[in-house]
């Protein structure tokens, strides 16, 4: 997921849409408003960004946050924020290949190198070091 583009709606089509409730234009606007605030201010780079942080941007209840994330981001809040952090990390590695992986992780909002590497491998199928080597050699 690129942090510059709003995630596509993924839930609510078929499976479980009746138990989750119907999507409303107000729900979509609420999600988009919070998404714009998060991306414009790069709030995802704050390792302390949490559901409480999101609720300050998007005043609603915690169950509604979970519903909005599933419906419009296709994941939970942590997955949504971490995807933006990973996008930032790959951009940072391409722009500044000399940075150590730990610095990339910290500057991308991860508080743990281990978590960064685990999520990076899960998403890209390779370590951050391998990714950097392959992206530098292809440019």
């Amino acid at each position: 997921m690129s942090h510059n583009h709003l995630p596509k709606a993924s839930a609510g089509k078929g499976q479980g849409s009746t138990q989750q409730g119907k999507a409303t234009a107000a729900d979509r606007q609420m999600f988009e408003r919070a998404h714009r605030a998060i991306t414009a201010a790069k709030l995802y780079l704050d390792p302390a960004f949490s559901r409480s942080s999101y609720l300050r941007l998007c005043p609603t209840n915690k169950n509604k946050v979970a519903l909005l994330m599933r419906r419009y981001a296709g994941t939970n809040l942590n997955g949504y924020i971490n995807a933006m952090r990973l996008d930032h990390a790959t951009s940072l590695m391409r722009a500044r290949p000399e940075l150590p992986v730990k610095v990339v992780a910290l500057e991308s909002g991860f508080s743990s190198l281990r978590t960064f590497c685990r999520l990076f491998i899960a998403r890209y199928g390779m370590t951050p070091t391998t990714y950097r080597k392959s992206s530098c050699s292809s440019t």
Side-chain angles (χ1 to χ4, degrees):
M1 168 188 355
S2 170
H3 61 269
N4 296 326
H5 296 78
L6 194 59
K8 293 186 171 124
S10 63
K13 294 179 183 169
Q15 80 252 21
S17 61
T18 54
Q19 75 185 35
Q20 290 180 353
K22 295 192 183 223
T24 66
D27 287 347
R28 181 71 183 186
Q29 289 172 346
M30 183 184 304
F31 177 81
E32 288 176 354
R33 191 169 43 253
H35 178 76
R36 282 190 303 270
I38 291 166
T39 57
K42 296 186 178 183
L43 299 176
Y44 53 88
L45 297 179
D46 179 359
F49 191 89
S50 65
R51 183 170 43 192
S52 297
S53 309
Y54 190 89
L55 287 169
R56 283 192 292 278
L57 298 171
C58 181
T60 188
N61 66 57
K62 64 182 181 176
N63 295 329
K64 183 73 163 209
V65 170
L67 176 68
L68 292 173
M69 285 295 126
R70 275 193 314 272
R71 184 169 284 148
Y72 300 114
T75 187
N76 61 27
L77 182 61
N78 284 339
Y80 167 75
I81 295 300
N82 286 332
M84 288 188 280
R85 289 173 175 163
L86 288 170
D87 286 344
H88 182 82
T90 56
S91 295
L92 193 55
M93 283 190 281
R94 285 190 305 274
R96 299 190 52 208
E98 75 284 357
L99 288 177
V101 170
K102 183 170 185 158
V103 172
V104 171
L106 295 174
E107 289 191 14
S108 298
F110 290 96
S111 55
S112 157
L113 179 59
R114 172 180 246 157
T115 299
F116 170 66
C117 289
R118 179 178 50 79
L119 293 173
F120 196 97
I121 291 167
R123 181 167 179 189
Y124 298 105
M126 64 182 84
T127 66
T129 302
T130 302
Y131 177 91
R132 179 177 30 215
K133 286 177 185 171
S134 67
S135 71
C136 287
S137 65
S138 65
T139 56

